[in-house]
Amino acid sequence: MMTTVDTPAAVETFDTTDPATGELVGRFPVHGPAAVQSTVERARTAARWWAGLGFAGRAERLAAWRVLLAGKVAELAELVHREGGKPVADAVIEIATTLEHLTWAPANAERVLGRRKVRSGLLLANHAATVEYQPYGVVGVIGPWNYPVFTPMGSIAYALAAGNAVVFKPSEYTPAVGDWLVRSFAQVVPEQPVLQLVTGGGQTGAALCRAGVDKVAFTGSTATAKKIMATCAERLTPVLLECGGKDAMVVDADADVDAAATAALWGGMANAGQTCVGIERVYAVDAVYDDFVAKLAAKAAVLRPGEDREAAYGPATMPSQVDVIRRHVTDALDRGGRAVVGGAGSVRGPYVEPVVLVDVPEDAAAVREETFGPTLTVTRVRDADEAVEKANASSYGLGAAVFGKTRGEEIARRLRTGMASVNSVLTFSGVGALPFGGVGDSGFGRIHGEDGLREFARSKAVTRQRFPSVVDVTRFDRKPAAIKRLMTVVGIVYGRPRRRRR
Ligand code: NAD
């Protein structure tokens, strides 16, 4: 079945196709600045209504949406498979992880964002102080294609739970999935357009940045993030930028080598390597290097991409990415690297067979740039310290993985990334309470967890005078004695070491 959105005949449209077969999946309008603007204006009214429901009212609606989605996992997974190319089973995993966040965000929104008293400090003890986190209003969400449910929903679920209306521009490669999500939300919230869709390419995204939204939450490449930040700077619109990565795995001397190889393979090749927090580089310490490479190569050699249900992963979703993968592999081989699995011939398009490279120089594109294909580089290091140093020598800093028994968590904490999993891969993304986001070229701001809720709300601080102060100095008609009293109080309050509050 093809998805279409009702549009007047004169409106420009674009098609999405199944990347494996080229079959038409959907036809969508290219929304220009005027259409985007009017969508944002409608969202403005919806935002007031949605905020007025309060935490409990919104939580009820979002729970209903979650239940509806949970009942339609198979339908949505099939669409994700057709439009993006990933195996249905992978789409099911993606949706299951999304449902965890759609549960966590509304369940915790009031606790994290609701109004609470804070200490006003000894000097201002005559005032009561409260803080709360109020919704921005209308949030523009711009998404990528590689996880067309999980990735935008990391912003959408948290923005909605915080009380905002959302205008969502999915990737031009996956608008049908975006449209499906928005329509399903309208089934549980039919009263107001709290979650709306605009479709099109980069120009539609740019129009959304300029349409007067109160915040833009972007997930995509680092290059686009820079353009978005520049566009948003025109109106000082705040941005959340979730960008690319070059995630590393460290395999320490006491690691379970077989488990590490299994995880590296999944982390590197699942979804055809098109995972922002996918493993692209492995640093294995000398003591386990040979064993690790042998085990990884044996497991990788039997992986097969394809369109059928038994295939390990699907095609490259974006045809242009195949050229990037080919360039990285060819360059690595030209510069002295060796392929222990696959080689330049593995990169055919739309399917790319697994490629495992060793002895690749650290300054090669395959080690430095985001490949976004089913490839892994494995580098021998002296010890875990050298692994950390090499892993951190990257402009990116999104996620990471460590395999090791004794030093796993210590190594994970030393990696310059927003997240890390010890003795598994990608796990941090499925924990509702954990923030998700990067450093450096991987962007800034956080989705998920408490930080993810606060990302979609602005703090509002209020003080209320309860009784006059004995050191009432902030008035022009104060007596000179008032400042003397203040100095005495300063001596008493700040002049002595105080115990740290825990
Ligand atoms: P992309 O940057 O090409 O596009 C992302 C979105 O931005 C699309 O919706 C696109 O239409 C829009 N866009 C393009 N130009 C724009 C402009 N000038 N103004 C406004 N919007 C514009 O990225 P992609 O190819 O869709 O996704 C892959 C990238 O996303 C990879 O780099 C991947 O690592 C990254 N990613 C990051 C995360 C994360 O959470 N950090 C998650 C998934 C994907």
Side-chain angles (χ1 to χ4, degrees):
M1 202 193 71
M2 194 181 102
T3 312
T4 49
V5 168
D6 300 335
T7 45
V11 169
E12 189 193 339
T13 59
F14 68 104
D15 294 340
T16 50
T17 51
D18 183 325
T21 62
E23 223 170 85
L24 189 66
V25 174
R27 178 159 297 156
F28 293 87
V30 177
H31 285 122
V36 173
Q37 184 80 46
S38 56
T39 307
V40 170
E41 273 154 29
R42 281 194 298 280
R44 185 78 46 213
T45 314
R48 279 192 288 273
W49 174 80
W50 182 245
L53 290 184
F55 290 109
R58 292 193 295 270
E60 204 178 295
R61 303 305 186 94
L62 291 170
W65 192 27
R66 189 234 309 148
V67 170
L68 186 140
L69 294 187
K72 288 178 180 262
V73 172
E75 181 185 319
L76 180 56
E78 195 60 46
L79 180 60
V80 170
H81 163 67
R82 276 202 303 134
E83 196 178 43
K86 73 176 61 168
V88 173
D90 285 4
V92 171
I93 299 172
E94 175 179 349
I95 298 163
T97 322
T98 306
L99 292 177
E100 171 57 22
H101 291 287
L102 188 51
T103 306
W104 196 90
N108 290 278
E110 185 161 18
R111 175 181 64 78
V112 177
L113 305 176
R115 188 161 171 261
R116 65 186 159 83
K117 286 185 188 160
V118 295
R119 287 173 192 261
S120 49
L122 289 172
L123 208 55
L124 294 169
N126 60 320
H127 293 262
T130 58
V131 63
E132 67 185 300
Y133 295 83
Q134 300 177 343
Y136 275 103
V138 181
V139 172
V141 173
I142 300 175
W145 47 265
N146 61 338
Y147 286 83
V149 178
F150 175 79
T151 293
M153 283 291 283
S155 293
I156 293 171
Y158 287 78
L160 291 174
N164 304 277
V166 172
V167 177
F168 172 34
K169 196 212 80 69
S171 164
E172 54 273 39
Y173 289 96
T174 54
V177 173
D179 179 55
W180 192 99
L181 287 170
V182 170
R183 284 176 194 257
S184 68
F185 181 81
Q187 285 178 35
V188 295
V189 183
E191 299 94 330
Q192 290 276 342
V194 174
L195 173 61
Q196 295 180 85
L197 185 80
V198 290
T199 51
Q203 290 309 313
T204 306
L208 184 55
C209 295
R210 291 198 173 96
V213 292
D214 302 294
K215 180 149 190 170
V216 169
F218 166 78
T219 309
S221 63
T222 306
T224 306
K226 290 178 185 174
K227 291 185 197 161
I228 292 210
M229 197 165 163
T231 308
C232 287
E234 291 167 13
R235 302 177 72 130
L236 219 58
T237 304
V239 287
L240 155 68
L241 301 175
E242 298 284 354
C243 314
K246 190 71 187 173
D247 288 8
M249 174 190 279
V250 174
V251 186
D252 203 2
D254 60 354
D256 177 337
V257 176
D258 191 61
T262 302
L265 194 66
W266 170 263
M269 316 256 169
N271 198 24
Q274 305 168 120
T275 303
C276 55
V277 283
I279 302 297
E280 298 215 354
R281 312 173 277 157
V282 180
Y283 296 100
V285 303
D286 188 44
V288 293
Y289 176 86
D290 291 330
D291 190 17
F292 176 81
V293 171
K295 288 195 160 80
L296 176 65
K299 290 173 198 286
V302 296
L303 279 197
R304 181 182 58 78
E307 206 220 337
D308 55 292
R309 303 270 144 158
E310 278 71 49
Y313 57 83
T317 309
M318 225 175 28
S320 59
Q321 198 63 29
V322 175
D323 295 333
V324 175
I325 303 168
R326 185 177 296 115
R327 174 168 65 79
H328 287 193
V329 173
T330 314
D331 170 70
L333 297 174
D334 287 351
R335 300 185 56 186
R338 267 186 315 120
V340 293
V341 176
S346 309
V347 191
R348 281 197 272 270
Y351 296 103
V352 179
E353 277 150 20
V355 180
V356 178
L357 299 163
V358 297
D359 302 336
V360 181
E362 285 298 289
D363 60 351
V367 180
R368 301 207 72 77
E369 298 171 23
E370 189 178 49
T371 307
F372 235 48
T375 67
L376 282 167
T377 63
V378 189
T379 304
R380 189 194 292 270
V381 286
R382 193 179 57 247
D383 53 23
D385 295 327
E386 189 186 354
V388 169
E389 196 184 303
K390 289 204 151 68
N392 285 350
S394 171
S395 62
Y396 292 108
L398 195 52
V402 183
F403 273 75
K405 291 194 182 73
T406 46
R407 294 180 64 194
E409 283 178 81
E410 176 221 315
I411 295 164
R413 292 181 63 210
R414 284 169 56 197
L415 291 167
R416 184 184 161 273
T417 62
M419 298 86 61
S421 296
V422 178
N423 296 330
S424 71
V425 282
L426 316 182
T427 313
F428 45 75
S429 55
V431 179
L434 283 180
F436 183 106
V439 301
D441 281 353
S442 296
F444 54 79
R446 294 292 181 263
I447 54 171
H448 302 174
E450 297 189 0
D451 296 296
L453 281 168
R454 286 197 200 97
E455 194 72 44
F456 295 103
R458 48 168 85 94
S459 61
K460 181 64 180 274
V462 174
T463 62
R464 176 176 56 81
Q465 179 162 272
R466 296 184 298 152
F467 52 84
S469 169
V470 286
V471 280
D472 195 5
V473 289
T474 53
R475 50 195 294 164
F476 288 113
D477 61 353
R478 68 177 175 237
K479 302 278 181 302
I483 290 293
K484 277 202 181 128
R485 273 203 299 277
L486 174 62
M487 287 171 71
T488 310
V489 172
V490 164
I492 295 167
V493 174
Y494 304 114
R496 292 176 298 196
R498 260 196 276 170
R499 273 198 300 141
R500 256 182 352 136
R501 181 171 289 144
R502 288 183 185 279

